[in-house]
Amino acid sequence: MLDFGPLQFVLARHFGFCYGVENAIEIAFKTVQENPGKRIFLLSEMIHNPQVNADLEAHGVIFLQDTFGKQAISFEELNADDIVIIPAFGTTLAIEKKLNDIGIQTQKYNTTCPFVEKVWNRSEVIAKKNYTIIIHGKPQHEETRATFSHAAAAAPSVVIKNMQEAIELAGYITGEKPGEQFYNEFAQQYSEGFDVKKDLQRIGVVNQTTMLASDTQAIADFLKQTMIEKYKLTVQNINGHFADTRDTLCYATNDNQSAVSGMLQVPADLAIIVGGYNSSNTSHLVELCEEKLPSYFISNEEKILSSNEILHFDLHNKMEKITHNYLPNKKPVRILLTSGASCPDALVEGVIRKITSYYNTDKTSEELINEFELN
């Protein structure tokens, strides 16, 4: 807790940049520094944070695609002397091959998060044991598109967005739903040549690393139980139809989500979550907070318009809106504060400074920081 007297901030135990994001940013800026005069491209957004991406653009980095894979610059305009940085989300095998065919080295400038690669490696392992890969993720997200590409190259694969789609998929596993209906219901979410009658007999569940860990676990447990009931399985023979893939959950996503769950046990008046609006991991932190108390999702301190107004992102309607009287008229006001894995700590500090400026505080933020450093 940062106790300013009339204002208190409760910070999550873990928040902000994870290892994968820090590593990706470090490689990107090092690439810029070491290659003066060269054209440097980013395949798509480095991470889902507008400040970081704007900083890279300011250093001359050019974006080839938007976050949904829409081409901004044609691959035909590239040549073998160009540098293309693969973002932290990874990329599809088809895009990697296209760049390699041009003569562009992708491995040297690949910033794919090691925990994303861990999902790919685990998928490959269970694919060799003839399991179909079920991917819990957002079908249009860069990471899920990349994971699907890698999984589909090794085994039949299908993407499911949520528990509702897991329930629908279970209907095809048990035979309660007609198989031909699958191809419409899961259009553009299954691999080429997918055979609904034979490819759902042995399955393993992996995830987009920024999904809610508890949601992925619940989906895996549900599908596991579906297989147990369908094939009358026991603990001894469950592996015949369901692969154990619990080790694909990202530690950073899990830690941030667990930290927010712990933070939410502290009584408070409101929560502020800082991060990019298209950040999957941040949106899940918002969802956790919204269940408990008034919550405001902002990208930076500039969204705090005054002590009376805040401009924040409405996850459900996908738009910004202004809320009045977000700070209650009481003392002390207690605010829960966290940020997503792609959010620089400086943005969180900016939020603290902005809100403390509205109060006659007992201590400055610098004094509180010094106290923490001394302890």
Side-chain angles (χ1 to χ4, degrees):
M1 181 185 290
L2 298 177
D3 192 346
F4 292 95
L7 174 68
Q8 298 173 338
F9 286 99
V10 177
L11 297 174
R13 182 169 46 86
H14 289 283
F15 66 90
F17 279 174
C18 61
Y19 168 76
V21 166
E22 286 183 339
N23 181 60
I25 293 172
E26 183 180 338
I27 291 172
F29 281 106
K30 186 179 179 184
T31 301
V32 171
Q33 187 179 14
E34 293 178 349
N35 294 277
K38 273 208 166 191
R39 294 202 308 173
I40 301 174
F41 297 88
L42 242 174
L43 194 53
S44 63
E45 290 188 353
M46 168 57 64
I47 56 174
H48 286 159
N49 183 276
Q51 286 79 12
V52 171
N53 291 313
D55 198 8
L56 285 165
E57 284 188 298
H59 281 78
V61 177
I62 306 163
F63 288 71
L64 286 173
Q65 300 174 324
D66 68 12
T67 190
F68 300 107
K70 184 179 178 182
Q71 211 72 25
I73 295 174
S74 170
F75 287 126
E76 279 67 38
E77 295 183 33
L78 303 178
N79 62 64
D81 291 328
D82 292 328
I83 292 172
V84 176
I85 302 171
I86 307 296
F89 310 110
T91 191
T92 65
L93 293 171
I95 289 176
E96 195 164 354
K97 182 179 185 304
K98 189 174 290 187
L99 293 172
N100 291 156
D101 288 347
I102 294 169
I104 293 172
Q105 300 178 48
T106 52
Q107 199 53 45
K108 187 176 180 181
Y109 305 105
N110 189 341
T111 75
T112 304
C113 172
F115 293 96
V116 172
E117 291 181 328
K118 183 179 180 182
V119 174
W120 299 351
N121 294 337
R122 188 70 177 121
S123 297
E124 187 177 341
V125 168
I126 64 174
K128 288 178 179 177
K129 298 178 181 178
N130 298 318
Y131 290 101
T132 289
I133 314 298
I134 311 297
I135 303 161
H136 173 218
K138 299 175 180 178
Q140 297 307 312
H141 191 282
E142 299 102 312
E143 183 190 323
T144 297
R145 295 201 306 266
T147 296
F148 178 76
S149 168
H150 284 258
S157 304
V158 59
V159 178
I160 57 173
K161 303 172 192 171
N162 48 37
M163 177 59 86
Q164 185 54 48
E165 288 201 347
I167 292 169
E168 299 305 327
L169 187 69
Y172 298 109
I173 292 173
T174 60
E176 295 170 29
K177 299 180 72 171
E180 60 273 13
Q181 192 175 314
F182 168 88
Y183 301 101
N184 286 326
E185 188 168 1
F186 288 91
Q188 298 184 327
Q189 291 176 223
Y190 58 85
S191 56
E192 186 177 349
F194 194 94
D195 186 335
V196 69
K197 291 183 179 178
K198 75 177 181 65
D199 290 337
L200 292 175
Q201 295 176 14
R202 287 167 58 85
I203 64 172
V205 179
V206 299
N207 70 327
Q208 175 187 320
T209 58
T210 53
M211 302 299 280
L212 266 175
S214 56
D215 284 358
T216 298
Q217 196 57 58
I219 286 170
D221 290 344
F222 170 76
L223 291 175
K224 180 178 181 180
Q225 188 58 36
T226 299
M227 301 303 269
I228 289 172
E229 293 174 6
K230 161 81 174 175
Y231 295 103
K232 306 294 187 284
L233 304 174
T234 64
V235 175
Q236 286 72 32
N237 63 7
I238 181 67
N239 288 342
H241 292 274
F242 191 85
D244 180 5
T245 55
R246 284 173 295 180
D247 57 355
T248 66
L249 294 175
C250 169
Y251 88 92
T253 299
N254 212 9
D255 280 354
N256 281 0
Q257 291 169 5
S258 298
V260 166
S261 296
M263 179 183 73
L264 288 169
Q265 303 307 309
V266 179
D269 300 298
L270 65 143
I272 293 178
I273 305 93
V274 190
Y277 294 158
N278 59 344
S279 167
S280 177
N281 77 85
T282 310
S283 68
H284 292 306
L285 301 182
V286 176
E287 290 168 354
L288 289 172
C289 291
E290 283 182 337
E291 293 177 3
K292 297 284 188 177
L293 77 173
S295 301
Y296 304 99
F297 183 10
I298 62 176
S299 57
N300 56 55
E301 71 270 19
E302 293 174 8
K303 303 299 180 179
I304 302 168
L305 305 180
S306 68
S307 60
N308 185 54
E309 293 182 330
I310 187 169
L311 178 64
H312 60 104
F313 190 70
D314 182 338
L315 264 184
H316 311 287
N317 294 307
K318 307 297 181 189
M319 60 183 289
E320 285 187 319
K321 68 179 186 181
I322 292 178
T323 292
H324 300 272
N325 303 316
Y326 68 100
L327 293 174
N329 186 20
K330 57 170 288 213
K331 291 183 181 179
V333 171
R334 183 178 288 176
I335 300 173
L336 305 183
L337 182 61
T338 191
S339 66
S342 52
C343 178
D345 289 352
L347 296 184
V348 176
E349 290 179 21
V351 168
I352 293 172
R353 294 179 199 279
K354 186 73 170 280
I355 295 180
T356 53
S357 71
Y358 303 137
Y359 290 84
N360 184 19
T361 58
D362 297 341
K363 296 180 180 179
T364 66
S365 53
E366 284 76 13
E367 285 173 333
L368 278 177
I369 289 168
N370 287 335
E371 286 181 15
F372 272 95
E373 288 176 346
L374 289 171
N375 292 331

